[in-house]
Amino acid sequence: MIRRIATMFAFVLTLVACGGDNSPVTGVATSGEDLFKRTVLGENAGCVTCHSLKEGVVLVGPPLAIIGADAGDRQAGVAAADYLRMSIVDPDNFVLDGFDPGRMPPDWAEQLSEADIEALVEYLLTLGAE
Ligand code: HEC
């Protein structure tokens, strides 16, 4: 009986370890996803309160459903990761058509660590990427 319970336990552990997570988000981007989805981040409202992950769904800011694919085309000569980093730490530097400046909190560089910002950039790069 004890052995049977032990076998069952091992089986359940294996199931948990192999858990059905099909998300393409891996490594540092996983913590970026976690940060992105918090409703409160530092002393600010979290990213997800203003940015939907569904195309066409506008909350306060633009939806970011395919930002990983679009980021490299926003500004001539600015690579995707650089555009995303700038969008986070200095949001009014480039304001997307149809949106107003001054809405996105300007102080993420103080609210988040450098590693957090990097993780967010890595996560955003996965959105809509082939
Ligand atoms: C209070 C609302 C608000 C919050 C919170 C917010 N944003 Fe924004 N964000 C905006 C608005 C409005 C814009 C569009 C105007 C602009 O470019 O500044 C924007 C623009 C962006 C863009 C550029 C989008 C594009 O299509 O070019 C990115 C990337 C972005 N935000 C990421 C984030 C991340 C990551 C967080 C969390 C750390 C965050 N935002 C938190 C409102 C918000």
Side-chain angles (χ1 to χ4, degrees), residues 16-48:
V16 171
C18 302
D21 183 5
N22 294 322
S23 148
V25 180
T26 54
V28 69
T30 313
S31 63
E33 178 175 26
D34 171 63
L35 291 167
F36 186 86
K37 292 185 171 168
R38 292 192 202 168
T39 50
V40 177
L41 195 53
E43 293 176 0
N44 293 334
C47 321
V48 80

Side-chain angles (χ1 to χ4, degrees), residues 75 83 86 90-102:
Q75 282 182 297
Y83 173 75
M86 185 271 290
D90 188 10
D92 288 345
N93 185 304
F94 175 84
V95 176
L96 197 62
D97 270 357
F99 292 88
D100 296 325

Side-chain angles (χ1 to χ4, degrees), residues 45-47 50-51 61-62 67 74 83 91 94-96 103-105 108:
C47 321
C50 291
H51 294 287
I67 191 65
R74 286 281 189 260
Y83 173 75
F94 175 84
V95 176
L96 197 62
R103 302 294 302 276
M104 179 157 158
W108 290 113

